Amino acid sequence: MKKIKLALLTVALASSSMAAMAQDKATLIKQFIDIQRPGIESLARGLVEQSSAPIAQAGSQYLQTQVPEAKREAAAKAADAELKKYFDDAYPIVRDKAVQLAPAALTPLLEQNFSEDELKQLLAWINSPLSKKYQDLNPKMQTALTEKLVAETRASIEPKMRALDENVAKALGAPTEAPAPAKAPAKAPAKK
């Protein structure tokens, strides 16, 4: 009988210890996700901006090629106002849904790939002054690389982009160049 009680006590202690470890790991994962909220919100912002980018680009091209110059500024302001209205309406929806979905989407990945000790180390790193310094510098590093990359590849990429634009326009049956001004019909030679 004592062996059974000892076995049950051992199982109970192991279970409560495992539950406490799971609780600790769950708490660490929640802390990690909470710290990642600005990144999650930034992801949502990027998705909303990305969703409207083709419309903004097409509108800009249309503005430059189809709208009379005298009306461009007013039309551009009206289009910008519509884009801002879309962003102001869509961003809170996407942001709130991203924040809501993040725990369910990220928790299984974090649970499977990090031990409790690794999560503690990860949180210590994220909260460290060195990490904060790196995070502050990272956008500047990305900008520096982007500027250099664009400058170094512009000459080879721009012709490819123009060709792509023309090829897509041809594939869609759209005009590839502004129509040439209509010419006056040639005069027929005078009859003698």
Side-chain angles (χ1 to χ4, degrees), residues 1-188:
M1 186 69 160
K2 284 186 175 181
K3 289 184 179 179
I4 293 176
K5 286 183 180 179
L6 183 59
L8 289 174
L9 182 59
T10 304
V11 169
L13 285 173
S15 296
S16 68
S17 171
M18 289 175 67
M21 283 179 29
Q23 178 67 27
D24 289 340
K25 193 170 183 181
T27 300
L28 293 169
I29 289 172
K30 182 182 179 328
Q31 289 173 358
F32 177 81
I33 293 171
D34 289 345
I35 290 171
Q36 297 304 309
R37 184 175 176 137
I40 293 166
E41 290 177 355
S42 179
L43 172 74
R45 173 178 278 106
L47 288 172
V48 173
E49 289 170 349
Q50 185 180 12
S51 71
S52 63
I55 295 168
Q57 290 171 340
S60 177
Q61 187 173 14
Y62 183 84
L63 186 70
Q64 296 302 316
T65 60
Q66 303 297 317
V67 177
E69 191 172 341
K71 296 182 178 183
R72 283 185 192 155
E73 186 176 342
K77 285 181 181 178
D80 286 345
E82 290 301 320
L83 287 165
K84 183 180 180 334
K85 180 180 169 187
Y86 167 78
F87 181 85
D88 291 346
D89 288 345
Y91 173 63
I93 295 167
V94 177
R95 178 200 61 215
D96 294 348
K97 186 55 79 172
V99 169
Q100 177 191 358
L101 294 174
L106 302 179
T107 297
L109 292 169
L110 294 166
E111 283 178 345
Q112 293 168 6
N113 292 289
F114 292 99
S115 68
E116 183 178 340
D117 187 51
E118 290 171 327
L119 285 167
K120 288 177 183 176
Q121 291 175 42
L122 184 60
L123 286 168
W125 157 252
I126 289 172
N127 289 316
S128 73
L130 180 59
S131 174
K132 299 225 184 286
K133 185 176 183 179
Y134 171 75
Q135 289 172 14
D136 290 344
L137 185 60
N138 197 36
K140 293 175 187 169
M141 291 189 305
Q142 288 180 359
T143 299
L145 177 58
T146 300
E147 288 172 356
K148 185 92 170 147
L149 181 62
V150 168
E152 293 287 326
T153 60
R154 179 177 282 126
S156 58
I157 296 300
E158 282 184 352
K160 294 178 185 310
M161 289 297 298
R162 283 192 294 277
L164 174 64
D165 187 41
E166 289 177 18
N167 292 339
V168 169
K170 284 178 188 175
L172 296 173
T176 56
E177 294 182 16
K183 294 183 181 179
K187 289 186 180 180

